Amino acid sequence: MNAPTPKPWIMAIAPYVPGRSKIDGVTVRAKLSSNENPLGCSPHADAAFRAANDTLARYPDAAAGDLRDAIAAVHDLDPARIIYGTGSDEVLHLVAGAYAGAGDEVVFVRYGFSVYEIAARRVGATPVIAPDRDYATDVDAILAAVTPRTRIVYVANPNNPTGTFTPRAEIARLHAALPADVMLVIDQAYAEYIDADEDDHALELARTQPNVIVTRTFSKIYGLAAERIGWGYGSADAVAAMHRIRAPFNITTAGQKAAIAALADQQFVADTRAHNAKWRAWLEDEVKALGNAGLRSVPSRANFLLVLFEGAVSAEAAYHALMARGYIVRWLPGQGLPHGLRITIGTEEETRGLAQALREIVGG
Ligand code: PLP
C-alpha cells in the first residue's frame, strides 16, 4: 500500500544535531557544547519565571506587548516593528517562510549556523554556500554568490561556529552592494558579547533599510535558553508578513516575564560579558601554548572558541578523550569541521578544568 510521502525538499534536510548534555557512564564536569551562559540567568529573571507559574491555565499574551515594549526601551526601537519567536530559530524560519520558496536561492557562509540551510530547504528554496576566508565571513564571496534568484542572505555576527566578527564597515558594504529585493538577515545571537563601541550597527540598518532584518535571542547572554525566546526587528511590512505565519501563541507566559525581568538587569549582562572576555582570552592563551601540538583557535568575539587540531592528535580523538573526562564540547564533522572542536567559555573552574584536560590529551 502507498504510504504518505514527505516532500522531497523536506527529506533533503540533514536533521539539526543539538549539543549533547549527557555522557554514558561518566559524571559531567562541564557542558560546553551549546554556548549557554555558565553564570545562569539574572536572579530577577529566575524570580519572574517562578512567579508566572500560577497562570498555567491561561494562554500567553499573543501580542507579547509588555515584552516588545521592554525590548524597544532597551534598544530604542519601535515596538510595533518587533517580531518574536520560539527562540530566534523560529524568527529565522519566519523570514524564510515569508520571503523564499521553490526556485529561490538563500545564501549563507560555509561555516555558518546550521539552521539557515534547514530554513531554506523547509520552504523548498535552494541553499547557496559562500566560501569563507580563513573561517571568517567573506563579503566578496557572499556577493559573488548572489544571483537574480537570491531572496535572502543570512549572516551571523559574531558567527557560529567560528566566533568570527564582521566589522561595521563590512556589514555596511555588504548591504550597500546587495540588490534592494534581497532580504539581509543579520543574526545577532551573540551581539551582547561585543563591546558597545564595536557594534556592527545592524540594528541601525534594520531601523532605516526595508531589506534588513536583525535577529536576537534571550538564550545566550541573558541565560534563558530553556524558555526559547527570540526576537527580530525589521520594517513594518516585513513584520506584518512574518506575523501571518507565526504560531498564534508562540512564546510562553513564563518566558515573556523572565525575558522582561532579564532586560531590566543589564548589570548581569555586563558581568557576563566581562566574565566571558576574561576567560575567553585566558583559554585563547592556553590554546596558543599548545601550538606545538598543532592546536590553534580561530579569533573569537563570541562566548566560545573554535579550536582547530592540525597536529598528531585529531579533533575526533580529543573530543572522545574530553568526553571521557566529563567535558562535553562540540565536534562538528557534519558542518565541514571534522578538524575542529567548538568549546563554550564556562565558569572559571570549568574553563581551567577543560584546559588542563586538553593539555593532558595533546601532551602539551
Ligand atoms: N543564531 C545563532 C548564530 C546561534 O548560534 C543560535 C543558537 O545556537 C541561534 C541563532 C538560535 O538561538 P535561539 O533559537 O535559542 O534563540
Side-chain angles (χ1 to χ4, degrees):
M1 214 167 44
N2 284 341
T5 315
K7 290 298 176 191
W9 57 89
I10 299 298
M11 298 316 286
I13 295 173
Y16 182 83
V17 182
R20 290 179 60 171
S21 53
K22 286 194 191 127
I23 319 172
D24 291 342
V26 177
T27 305
V28 174
R29 288 180 190 278
K31 178 177 183 284
L32 306 173
S33 54
S34 296
N35 301 340
E36 296 146 335
N37 189 332
L39 308 180
C41 68
S42 158
H44 302 291
D46 189 64
F49 170 78
R50 288 170 201 282
N53 281 347
D54 59 0
T55 57
L56 283 174
R58 301 287 176 198
Y59 279 107
D61 174 9
D66 292 345
L67 175 59
R68 284 186 297 111
D69 286 346
I71 293 169
V74 167
H75 295 283
D76 190 21
L77 302 172
D78 174 358
R81 290 172 53 190
I82 295 172
I83 184 83
Y84 37 90
T86 308
S88 52
D89 280 345
E90 186 190 3
V91 182
L92 296 167
H93 278 284
L94 292 177
V95 181
Y99 288 96
D104 296 333
E105 294 175 352
V106 173
V107 175
F108 47 87
V109 296
R110 179 170 171 207
Y111 302 121
F113 183 44
S114 46
V115 164
Y116 308 151
E117 179 164 349
I118 297 173
R121 288 196 190 277
R122 177 183 175 180
V123 298
T126 304
V128 174
I129 293 174
D132 62 301
R133 189 174 10 84
D134 199 19
Y135 299 95
T137 298
D138 182 342
V139 165
D140 293 308
I142 292 175
L143 290 172
V146 170
T147 76
R149 290 172 183 255
T150 307
R151 299 272 61 86
I152 300 172
V153 172
Y154 287 107
V155 172
N157 206 28
N159 186 41
N160 172 23
T162 61
T164 53
F165 182 66
T166 307
R168 179 187 315 165
E170 283 291 279
I171 294 287
R173 187 165 76 84
L174 172 61
H175 175 260
L178 277 180
D181 63 353
V182 173
M183 187 61 84
L184 173 61
V185 180
I186 306 172
D187 173 347
Q188 290 197 317
Y190 302 97
E192 294 89 353
Y193 293 98
I194 301 289
D195 290 333
D197 59 340
E198 285 185 314
D199 181 67
D200 64 9
H201 282 200
L203 275 176
E204 192 51 41
L205 275 179
R207 272 191 198 95
T208 55
Q209 306 296 324
N211 66 333
V212 176
I213 293 172
V214 166
T215 60
R216 291 270 188 135
T217 184
F218 285 93
S219 302
K220 305 300 177 184
I221 211 163
Y222 287 103
L224 298 176
E227 277 309 288
R228 314 298 303 119
I229 310 272
W231 57 277
Y233 197 72
S235 71
D237 287 348
V239 167
M242 291 189 281
H243 273 305
R244 290 169 191 266
I245 52 172
R246 174 178 65 72
F249 298 97
N250 60 339
I251 53 175
T252 62
T253 302
Q256 293 185 41
K257 296 208 160 144
I260 292 165
L263 281 166
D265 190 353
Q266 288 298 318
Q267 188 58 49
F268 177 81
V269 173
D271 292 347
T272 299
R273 185 186 304 117
H275 169 88
N276 184 68
K278 175 176 176 184
W279 291 99
R280 187 183 61 208
W282 184 87
L283 189 58
E284 277 173 335
D285 285 347
E286 290 287 309
V287 172
K288 207 175 278 171
L290 298 176
N292 53 359
L295 271 61
R296 72 173 167 117
S297 64
V298 176
S300 170
R301 310 309 295 275
N303 65 341
F304 55 87
L305 273 192
L306 177 62
V307 180
L308 305 175
F309 289 71
E310 298 166 331
V313 177
S314 69
E316 181 177 11
Y319 170 71
H320 291 298
L322 284 171
M323 294 286 269
R325 286 168 166 80
Y327 291 93
I328 309 182
V329 301
R330 194 76 163 263
W331 179 45
L332 296 162
Q335 285 185 248
L337 291 164
H339 55 299
L341 296 183
R342 196 196 65 193
I343 304 173
T344 306
I345 306 305
T347 61
E348 172 175 352
E349 186 188 354
E350 290 169 340
T351 310
R352 286 187 185 280
L354 176 279
Q356 170 68 29
L358 257 188
R359 275 195 298 273
E360 289 167 14
I361 291 163
V362 302

